[in-house]
Amino acid sequence: MSIVSLVVNAGIVVKLVLLLLLGFSMVSWMVIFQRAVSLRRADRGFREFEATFWSGIDVRQLEERLGDSHEGVAAVFQAGMASFRRLRSGIVKESRVVTPKQASAVLVDVERSMRIAVAEEEGRLTRYLPVLATISSASPYIGLFGTVWGIMGSFLTLSSTTRADLSTVAPWVAEALVATAMGLFAAIPAVIAYNRFTATTERLVLGYRDFAEEFHTLLYRSLLSPRSSAAKRDQ
Amino acid sequence: MADKPQEIRFKAPIICAVILHVIIAVALLVDWPSSHEPPQDNSYVQATLISSQTRTPSPSPENDTAKGEARQAQPQAEEQEQEQEQEQEQEQQQAAAEQQQQEAAEQQQQEQQAAAAQQQQQEQQAAAAAAAAAAAKKEEQQRQQAENARQAREQAAKEAEQKAAADKAAKEKAAQEKAAAEKAQADKAAKEKAAKEKAAAEKAQADKAAKEKAAKEKAAKEKAAADAAARKKRMAAAAASDNSALSSASGSGEKNSSKAAQGAQAANSMMNVIRHAVEQNWNKPDNLPSGIKTTLRVRLIPATGELINVSVSSSSGDSSFDQSAVQAVQRAAPFNELGNAPASVQRQFRSFTLTFNPEDVR
């Protein structure tokens, strides 16, 4: 009377449910591992970038150092820089002096491009999390379905037997309950991981937005300052 | 462009997830058997076995009823043992008393013999050959008399007629004394000496019943005191003889009961075997009312353990329950183990009773 015998003796529907739930569990753990790694990496990247950005490094140098491949907050920074440089070069070509009106128009554009970058990053961070959410909310119901189905079958069988005491009912019920157990087994890690990953993602996105705001202010000041071409941080 | 490395990074998570599931599955498979085994040995409903002790030589008729249940049989056996022990103790005490008595008698005889020997010596020293021959004759008479006295005493002890024996002894003693006095007519002084020596020897020999003996001796010398002494002795001896009679009877009973106790052990183990077999084959009906109980009388062929007959001797009132019990016995029927049991045990299982009591279990 082990778990194995329970599973082997179960009906076809219960077996299918168990198989589905096993797949769910597999997928959810896959996502959990993948997300855990990638979120940890994003978190570390964000902290490192902030540290270097506020360390007084030249923006151009920072841009060069980041290079081509970038994700997380670096992507936001590069999006802002690219937009800013392109607009500013256009203005400088037409007229030597940047008027406040032109500057604000440029900065609105930069802000927009950075907002888009943040949204993209957020999408990347939260990717696959809906899978976890689905698994965590659906697998208990699927398990419950298997249980109800199994108990239904057991009662149907019971009606044909003359004697119905606990010893004849118990195996059926145990068999049916395996499905619920499996559902919970798949759902619980998914729920915990989903909540944890969502919290981490929110914190990161908030950090990105803060950075975007600060970078935007920085660009605005550099644009209005006399030596605008330098585009240096004045802090 | 950043998607590709992420997609590639899925390889490791897949491996991790698979490994995790395998570990969990293995843990489940390994842990379950060990944790599931203990609760499997539920004890089945017990049927208690009653042995009918009618065939065993049980001294008390109440055993049959008192030994109703196998559980009660042990305390009963213990009681019996206690009784036996008590009897043994009594017997020992009685034996001690008898020994004392015998020692007293022997000492008396020895004293008499010693007196006779002394008389002989005196006669040899003083009297002629004819007198010696007469003395020899008389000595033989004395011996015969002593033997008679002993036999008489033993008889008295057994028949509890100590009074007569005591009287006899007193008379004999008196007669002996008289004879001695007649014989020792030649030297009165020597006789007196002998008497003194006798008294000394008596005192030296007397260990346990010294006072009684001294009183007896004195009584023998002085007829006035003899009655009181004889009475004392008679009472003690009467008590001793009563006890001895009892002890001999209980001794024989004890032998029988000790045999029975040895047999009872073998019978008990046999009973357990049979009871177990019956329990195994008992299909207990459901929804039994509380306190239900039925008793079956089972008759077997002792040599083979085959079932001759099983009948309900005391019905529970529930015929289906009775029937289930009867079926259990019939299913368990050839008790082959009985064939290996000793013959005395086999005889006991010619007929016995089984009590089915489902509430005994929990």
Side-chain angles (χ1 to χ4, degrees):
Chain A
M1 202 53 167
S2 66
I3 288 270
V4 181
S5 71
L6 284 181
V7 171
V8 168
N9 293 331
I12 184 72
V13 175
V14 177
K15 267 182 192 162
L16 285 177
V17 165
L18 287 178
L19 217 64
L20 183 69
L21 288 173
L22 187 71
F24 272 23
S25 177
M26 216 67 127
V27 169
S28 88
W29 276 103
M30 245 152 60
V31 171
I32 286 167
F33 281 124
Q34 197 269 342
R35 281 293 89 187
V37 170
S38 113
L39 281 182
R40 194 179 302 134
R41 186 173 295 175
D43 196 36
R44 205 193 309 131
F46 177 61
R47 262 186 278 125
E48 276 173 8
F49 180 84
E50 274 210 314
T52 46
F53 184 77
W54 296 117
S55 67
I57 193 172
D58 189 88
V59 177
R60 287 213 178 96
Q61 282 179 7
L62 186 65
E63 199 179 359
E64 281 167 17
R65 193 198 282 183
L66 285 171
D68 229 14
S69 71
H70 41 251
E71 50 190 73
V73 75
V76 178
F77 167 75
Q78 281 184 328
M81 275 303 284
S83 165
F84 175 74
R85 196 180 292 125
R86 192 178 66 242
L87 289 172
R88 195 189 55 124
S89 63
I91 291 165
V92 167
K93 268 183 191 167
E94 289 170 11
S95 57
R96 285 277 176 206
V97 184
V98 180
T99 60
K101 201 178 179 181
Q102 283 173 323
S104 64
V106 166
L107 287 171
V108 164
D109 221 36
V110 168
E111 193 187 352
R112 187 180 300 133
S113 69
M114 280 206 294
R115 202 162 56 222
I116 289 166
V118 166
E120 272 178 5
E121 284 308 305
E122 190 181 359
R124 249 208 351 237
L125 286 176
T126 59
R127 184 190 277 184
Y128 307 125
L129 285 188
V131 175
L132 278 185
T134 308
I135 287 172
S136 67
S137 57
S139 54
Y141 293 118
I142 296 171
L144 204 63
F145 167 73
T147 295
V148 168
W149 192 271
I151 288 180
M152 230 161 67
S154 76
F155 277 124
L156 282 176
T157 318
L158 267 183
S159 65
S160 62
T161 61
T162 51
R163 271 173 54 176
D165 52 3
L166 194 64
S167 58
T168 52
V169 181
W172 291 93
V173 176
E175 218 172 272
L177 284 175
V178 167
T180 303
M182 194 70 201
L184 293 177
F185 173 76
I188 290 170
V191 170
I192 293 170
Y194 177 76
N195 286 335
R196 191 176 135 67
F197 292 156
T198 312
T200 312
T201 308
E202 271 173 17
R203 184 168 52 80
L204 280 177
V205 169
L206 220 68
Y208 292 174
R209 288 216 175 101
D210 285 350
F211 169 76
E213 288 295 315
E214 279 166 6
F215 188 51
H216 175 254
T217 332
L218 218 75
L219 289 178
Y220 183 68
R221 280 187 197 158
S222 72
L223 205 61
L224 290 183
S225 67
R227 296 179 64 213
S228 59
S229 60
K232 262 192 178 179
R233 280 181 47 227
D234 55 353
Q235 256 187 337
Chain B
M1 51 179 187
D3 281 2
K4 278 225 168 170
Q6 270 193 342
E7 228 45 76
I8 288 163
R9 257 183 271 137
F10 253 111
K11 228 182 216 170
I14 287 170
I15 293 165
C16 285
V18 169
I19 288 171
L20 185 89
H21 281 81
V22 166
I23 287 170
I24 289 169
V26 167
L28 281 175
L29 291 183
V30 167
D31 282 351
W32 268 100
S34 60
S35 62
H36 237 275
E37 270 171 1
Q40 277 184 349
D41 55 335
N42 314 350
S43 63
Y44 284 93
V45 172
Q46 276 188 350
T48 53
L49 206 144
I50 298 175
S51 89
S52 67
Q53 294 279 332
T54 48
R55 274 162 214 289
T56 62
S58 59
S60 56
E62 61 195 1
N63 267 4
D64 242 325
T65 52
K67 276 200 172 178
E69 293 193 359
R71 218 189 286 148
Q72 286 179 353
Q74 276 196 335
Q76 189 77 25
E78 286 172 4
E79 280 178 12
Q80 274 190 344
E81 283 178 4
Q82 282 180 353
E83 282 176 7
Q84 287 168 10
E85 284 175 3
Q86 283 178 357
E87 284 172 1
Q88 278 183 345
E89 285 176 3
Q90 278 184 358
E91 210 190 18
Q92 283 176 354
Q93 287 173 357
Q94 286 157 10
E98 277 184 343
Q99 263 193 343
Q100 283 185 357
Q101 210 75 34
Q102 280 183 353
E103 280 176 6
E106 283 173 5
Q107 280 172 359
Q108 279 183 351
Q109 287 163 8
Q110 283 176 356
E111 285 158 17
Q112 286 164 8
Q113 285 173 357
Q118 285 173 357
Q119 282 166 7
Q120 253 188 337
Q121 283 180 354
Q122 287 161 9
E123 278 168 5
Q124 279 177 354
Q125 284 175 358
K137 273 184 189 171
K138 274 174 186 171
E139 186 196 333
E140 283 179 0
Q141 280 181 352
Q142 278 182 348
R143 275 184 191 164
Q144 280 180 350
Q145 280 175 350
E147 280 180 0
N148 286 340
R150 193 197 289 165
Q151 285 175 357
R153 261 188 214 117
E154 283 173 0
Q155 279 179 356
K158 278 175 187 171
E159 295 163 5
E161 294 175 357
Q162 194 58 36
K163 202 170 188 175
D167 289 344
K168 258 190 196 172
K171 277 176 191 173
E172 282 164 9
K173 267 186 193 168
Q176 285 169 9
E177 295 290 335
K178 274 178 189 174
E182 283 171 2
K183 272 174 236 160
Q185 274 176 357
D187 333 355
K188 277 181 184 177
K191 191 189 168 188
E192 281 174 3
K193 263 189 191 173
K196 278 176 189 170
E197 283 174 356
K198 237 194 231 172
E202 281 163 15
K203 276 175 187 170
Q205 283 173 347
D207 297 337
K208 292 170 185 176
K211 283 179 185 175
E212 280 185 0
K213 266 175 244 158
K216 277 179 219 159
E217 296 299 326
K218 279 172 187 171
K221 279 179 183 174
E222 303 165 21
K223 279 198 176 180
D227 288 342
R231 220 175 278 152
K232 250 191 199 172
K233 189 184 168 189
R234 176 196 66 210
M235 279 164 64
S241 69
D242 282 348
N243 285 340
S244 70
L246 233 169
S247 73
S248 66
S250 66
S252 63
E254 184 200 341
K255 270 184 188 173
N256 284 341
S257 58
S258 69
K259 256 189 201 168
Q262 280 183 350
Q265 262 194 339
N268 260 337
S269 63
M270 198 62 234
M271 244 177 243
N272 281 332
V273 169
I274 289 176
R275 191 176 62 200
H276 190 68
V278 172
E279 274 171 32
Q280 293 274 308
N281 287 290
W282 189 14
N283 239 345
K284 189 161 72 83
D286 298 326
N287 303 324
L288 288 172
S290 63
I292 196 166
K293 192 173 173 183
T294 186
T295 306
L296 304 184
R297 181 154 283 273
V298 182
R299 293 178 61 224
L300 302 176
I301 297 172
T304 59
E306 281 176 51
L307 187 71
I308 300 172
N309 179 25
V310 55
S311 60
V312 180
S313 66
S314 138
S315 173
S316 61
D318 185 343
S319 61
S320 68
F321 179 71
D322 292 350
Q323 200 52 42
S324 76
V326 170
Q327 280 175 354
V329 175
Q330 283 170 347
R331 251 177 259 154
F335 302 105
N336 295 324
E337 297 88 349
L338 195 58
N340 304 327
S344 62
V345 175
Q346 286 182 353
R347 248 182 287 123
Q348 291 179 44
F349 283 89
R350 194 190 300 277
S351 171
F352 60 94
T353 55
L354 272 169
T355 298
F356 287 73
N357 186 3
E359 293 209 328
D360 264 7
V361 202
R362 285 142 205 166

